[in-house]
Amino acid sequence: MDESLFADLIPELEKSLKPYRGASLTFAKIPERGYARADILREMERLQAIEEARWQDGKVSGAVYHGDRAHIDFVNRVYALHSQSNPLHADIWPSTTKFEAEIVAMTARMLHAPEGACGTVTSGGTESILLAMKTYRDWARATKGITAPEMIAPTTAHAAFDKAAQYFGIQMIRVPVGADFRADVAATRAALTPNTIALIGSAPPFPHGIVDPIAELSELARARGIGFHTDGCLGGFLLPWAEKLGYAVPPFDFRLPGVTSISADTHKYGYAPKGTSVVLYRDAELRHFQYFTATDWPGGLYFSPTIAGSRPGALSAACWAAMVTLGEDGYLSAAKAILETAAKIKQGLRAIPELQLCGDPLFVLAFTSESLDVFQVMEYMTRKHWGLNGLHSPPAVHLCVTLRHTQPGVAEQFLADLREAVAFVKEHPDAPAGVGPIYGMASAVELRGMVSDLLKMYMDLLYRV
Ligand SMILES: Cc1ncc(COP(=O)(O)O)c(C=O)c1O
């Protein structure tokens, strides 16, 4: 790796990633004498207050999906009650396993799972996806003798699927999406081989928020007798309520007979604290391929349903409490507020001639620009303290609307700032483009290796004191 290529960039990144250097209690070794709890708490409360201000007022895309003070205080209390619990020890904490079984059952019911469907609680969307793909790999090996497994996903499906391919030795076949940003069914059919173990669709994908044609894709999988995973990490806890509210939601859940697994993140629109998700399977036989058992280890009979061994039972307790305190009425009213706010922003976006909304999304609003550098627009918004997501292929920016954005005035402020950003970039063609040049490099095949190196250096920085 040639670090000199990024010589200017790294110090700048380091400065922005380490704002507390020299301005907070810092330890590169365990302190000789323990600090007073009150002093530690004071310091941590100070940092928390600085960071809460970053997302509390609704200027960040996604990230915090609920965030009302009373809700946070409630789930924190539940977390504190169960902070010692570990579902690995079901004998000591049967309450945690009860919470997890009920989280799975409630999620399965919400997604119209048939009798016999099942699942597990995981640590997040990525783990749910990793586990589903590992499950299909082991299932296909055991039942079909497939030893060189392949999976097919639209280009827009989450990078966690590439991670699964890398971790579990599965060949990933990416299929381009159509002009409407939805998976291309014909291209998917053409990519099938005797080694295909599963197809993937998202409801919706992270980048542009347009639900894939899951009915058609899952039928392809069913006809082939292979798995179909709906990635509902982002939409699994919002689309069911959107449908009940009368929005046009394409079918994506277990009502489609070809859908054999779904991931749905409780820590997004399920409004649980960060650290939980649910992976569901149409039947228990499939779930068995997810499990791990060791019967000859001197440490005793060992088994774990998910990747981790010991797990934070408190997160499952807090997730359960979040789901139960919201109830259907809470989820419905949250969805209504989010979808109405998103509709207002969509309308405002469509009225800015220099920007083009990507497709007709419900709550993840991505826009490109034919006449401007959309990353210059994003950089202007960053300077106005908006935390938006940059996308590429094509270059675009998105806002994932959450309850934070439903606060009075947020949508209006976003649109006013966006109009200002567009006017500024039109007048200043040399305006800074922030991450734009890096995204540009990532779009060029020959420079991708360099960008990957940069990302590794970025991760190294994260662990620098
Ligand atoms: C569609 C989709 N799938 C998977 C994930 C991964 O979820 P996590 O970050 O919880 O691992 C995300 C995250 O935003 C997502 O939007």
Side-chain angles (χ1 to χ4, degrees):
M1 186 188 314
D2 183 359
E3 299 210 5
S4 63
L5 283 170
F6 302 114
D8 294 342
L9 200 55
I10 295 294
E12 214 175 297
L13 274 176
E14 188 156 1
K15 214 166 78 191
S16 73
L17 275 173
K18 308 285 170 185
Y20 304 128
R21 267 204 189 138
S24 73
L25 281 175
T26 303
F27 304 98
K29 71 188 249 305
I30 295 173
E32 259 159 48
R33 290 168 59 87
Y35 271 62
R37 288 175 182 153
D39 292 343
I40 299 169
L41 278 172
R42 196 175 315 110
E43 175 69 348
M44 294 180 93
E45 278 164 5
R46 183 177 75 82
L47 303 185
Q48 188 273 342
I50 295 170
E51 289 167 9
E52 184 167 287
R54 276 279 291 134
W55 55 261
Q56 185 60 253
D57 58 0
K59 287 200 133 183
V60 176
S61 171
V64 176
Y65 291 76
H66 195 295
D68 285 0
R69 191 73 255 163
H71 182 68
I72 296 176
D73 289 345
F74 169 67
V75 292
N76 286 353
R77 233 181 117 185
V78 175
Y79 183 97
L81 279 175
H82 290 267
S83 70
Q84 301 309 300
S85 94
N86 178 357
L88 192 66
H89 302 292
D91 52 337
I92 308 177
W93 288 287
S95 67
T96 312
T97 49
K98 166 194 141 69
F99 297 141
E100 293 203 334
E102 291 173 26
I103 292 167
V104 170
M106 288 189 280
T107 309
R109 178 63 74 90
M110 175 184 72
L111 296 172
H112 302 95
E115 193 63 35
C118 56
T120 62
V121 175
T122 73
S123 62
T126 299
E127 191 185 353
S128 290
I129 288 169
L130 290 176
L131 285 170
M133 297 306 111
K134 180 207 108 65
T135 296
Y136 287 124
R137 183 197 65 174
D138 293 355
W139 165 79
R141 188 161 46 199
T143 62
K144 293 169 174 284
I146 295 178
T147 53
E150 297 172 6
M151 60 198 202
I152 306 174
T155 47
T156 48
H158 198 271
F161 290 99
D162 293 305
K163 200 181 219 181
Q166 225 179 73
Y167 281 14
F168 302 128
I170 305 169
Q171 179 72 31
M172 164 63 103
I173 315 289
R174 288 279 191 176
V175 173
V177 293
D180 58 357
F181 299 94
R182 299 160 78 234
D184 181 334
V185 179
T188 306
R189 184 185 297 112
L192 284 163
T193 77
N195 283 330
T196 310
I197 57 168
L199 305 185
I200 290 140
S202 309
F206 171 83
H208 316 105
I210 314 286
V211 177
D212 282 321
I214 295 196
E216 292 95 318
L217 290 173
S218 62
E219 271 311 295
L220 270 187
R222 192 157 78 110
R224 281 282 185 139
I226 58 176
F228 184 90
H229 184 80
T230 297
D231 179 10
C233 284
L234 193 53
F237 274 86
L238 189 50
L239 295 180
W241 315 113
E243 185 187 342
K244 281 208 161 96
L245 291 166
Y247 285 83
V249 175
F252 69 98
D253 65 17
F254 284 114
R255 282 172 289 183
L256 298 172
V259 170
T260 47
S261 59
I262 304 182
S263 46
D265 286 0
T266 37
H267 72 186
K268 294 191 173 84
Y269 292 102
Y271 310 125
K274 274 290 175 269
T276 60
S277 165
V278 175
V279 59
L280 296 171
Y281 298 100
R282 183 171 282 278
D283 60 53
E285 188 204 334
L286 209 43
R287 182 172 61 174
H288 275 190
F289 289 99
Q290 178 182 304
Y291 291 164
F292 174 80
T293 62
T295 50
D296 57 353
W297 177 47
L301 292 177
Y302 186 91
F303 51 91
S304 66
T306 60
I307 293 177
S310 289
R311 291 188 295 119
L315 286 180
S316 294
C319 172
W320 179 89
M323 290 174 79
V324 173
T325 193
L326 270 131
E328 284 203 14
D329 55 345
Y331 281 118
L332 275 168
S333 63
K336 184 168 185 291
I338 288 168
L339 294 165
E340 284 173 359
T341 300
K344 196 191 294 178
I345 297 176
K346 247 181 4 178
Q347 197 182 15
L349 264 166
R350 284 195 172 117
I352 303 176
E354 292 81 2
L355 302 180
Q356 288 76 46
L357 188 66
C358 299
D360 186 19
L362 274 177
F363 59 94
V364 180
L365 313 178
F367 53 91
T368 55
S369 177
E370 280 158 14
S371 53
L372 302 174
D373 178 345
V374 80
F375 293 125
Q376 289 178 315
V377 174
M378 178 167 144
E379 181 59 16
Y380 188 93
M381 293 297 275
T382 305
R383 288 168 191 215
K384 287 248 158 191
H385 307 293
W386 289 96
L388 306 179
N389 294 93
L391 315 169
H392 70 144
S393 317
V397 175
H398 90 200
L399 173 75
C400 176
V401 180
T402 72
L403 270 179
R404 303 320 309 145
H405 305 107
T406 66
Q407 298 174 88
V410 175
E412 290 76 7
Q413 189 62 53
F414 174 75
L415 290 168
D417 287 346
L418 195 57
R419 284 189 290 265
E420 199 179 293
V422 166
F424 181 82
V425 172
K426 271 176 85 172
E427 267 182 37
H428 302 84
D430 294 330
V435 294
I438 309 233
Y439 276 60
M441 278 168 66
S443 304
V445 177
E446 68 282 7
L447 298 179
R448 264 182 211 155
M450 258 166 61
V451 178
S452 172
D453 288 346
L454 175 65
L455 298 178
K456 286 174 189 161
M457 280 156 61
Y458 183 93
M459 288 188 272
D460 289 342
L461 279 183
L462 296 177
Y463 289 96
R464 228 179 256 172
V465 176

